[in-house]
Amino acid sequence: MKSLIFKSLQLLSEREKKGRSFGFHPNKNLIFGMNHVGKSTVTKQTFEALGASPVGKLEGWDKAAIALLTATLDGEEYHFLRQNSHRAVFNSQGELIASAASGGEWAKVFAQLMEFNLVLSDKNEKTSQADAACMFLPFYINQDGGWTGIWRAFNGLSRFRSPATAIVEYFTQVVPPQFYVAKAESESEQRKITEIEADIRILNRTRERLSSSL
């Protein structure tokens, strides 16, 4: 997985005709100030731009605001643009690399860009690419939920089936990342086998009834 370092965040509200720009130090950052001056806005919009939606609402903030996050991945600069559910990533020359209009599409783009090769099973027993929220989960504490529950920092994690164990194992390298890909493929094939076996049982019962009636 690549090293991610934030460089700057630019926010633009067309509704309010206002914009803000923030620069990040490459090592440590401390954001302080009075209540309702924008600390949570800066923090949450930074992660929103990458596809991770922190729990909690930004009161009074324009939900359709445009966010442009500049960051480096292993030293190479990228620009992440986001408005509502639409996201795009550009290289340092401003050339479009990829775009997505849904969370599922963006999860694949982000995972490929970050080389974040963790896959999980969702509630429908289907294999899904782990998204940005899964990548940031062990490192992000959210004041609007992270203190009151176990890993409730981001929205949308409930669609996965028991993601915490796999995420911890991934980052602690208890097992190699390839294990989760193989496991997901194995579970997918096992579900196909189960469906075929169910069809066979139905056909056998039907055959027995026909044989009995004839």
Side-chain angles (χ1 to χ4, degrees):
M1 192 168 64
K2 294 182 179 179
S3 172
L4 172 65
I5 299 177
F6 302 143
K7 292 189 67 176
S8 66
L9 175 67
Q10 294 173 301
L11 302 172
L12 175 65
S13 171
E14 296 178 304
R15 184 190 70 187
E16 299 178 3
K17 307 298 181 184
K18 293 181 180 179
R20 291 184 178 181
S21 180
F22 305 89
F24 296 102
H25 189 276
N27 295 324
K28 296 180 181 180
N29 292 273
L30 175 63
I31 303 174
F32 64 94
M34 302 293 290
N35 291 336
H36 307 295
V37 296
K39 301 187 300 297
S40 295
T41 297
V42 174
T43 304
K44 292 184 178 181
Q45 289 291 345
T46 298
F47 290 93
E48 284 275 11
L50 296 173
S53 179
V55 171
K57 297 181 179 180
L58 296 174
E59 297 182 4
W61 179 253
D62 181 7
K63 294 182 179 179
I66 301 170
L68 177 64
L69 174 68
T70 300
T72 61
L73 304 181
D74 281 354
E76 188 173 352
E77 186 175 279
Y78 292 90
H79 306 283
F80 298 88
L81 183 66
R82 177 229 173 209
Q83 185 176 30
N84 296 320
S85 61
H86 298 274
R87 292 180 174 85
V89 57
F90 302 82
N91 61 20
S92 57
Q93 288 76 41
E95 298 170 337
L96 177 65
I97 297 176
S99 62
S102 69
E105 294 175 1
W106 178 254
K108 296 177 182 178
V109 171
F110 181 79
Q112 184 176 6
L113 198 63
M114 284 294 304
E115 297 180 359
F116 180 51
N117 55 347
L118 174 63
V119 292
L120 301 170
S121 296
D122 61 20
K123 293 295 182 62
N124 296 321
E125 300 298 331
K126 294 182 179 180
T127 302
S128 297
Q129 171 63 51
D131 57 11
C134 296
M135 195 187 83
F136 292 121
L137 191 60
F139 315 103
Y140 183 90
I141 297 177
N142 187 357
Q143 62 180 355
D144 295 320
W147 301 107
T148 58
I150 299 176
W151 282 18
R152 290 183 54 210
F154 295 103
N155 295 306
L157 292 169
S158 59
R159 73 181 186 280
F160 296 115
R161 182 168 55 85
S162 304
T165 300
I167 293 173
V168 169
E169 290 177 348
Y170 181 89
F171 283 101
T172 55
Q173 298 183 350
V174 173
V175 292
Q178 293 81 3
F179 167 81
Y180 300 102
V181 177
K183 180 182 178 183
E185 292 176 351
S186 174
E187 291 176 349
S188 177
E189 294 301 321
Q190 184 59 50
R191 286 192 294 271
K192 293 178 183 178
I193 293 173
T194 302
E195 292 173 358
I196 293 173
E197 290 175 342
D199 292 338
I200 291 174
R201 287 194 294 270
I202 293 173
L203 289 173
N204 286 336
R205 287 196 296 270
T206 304
R207 185 183 62 182
E208 292 172 359
R209 287 196 297 269
L210 287 172
S211 298
S212 176
S213 63
L214 294 175

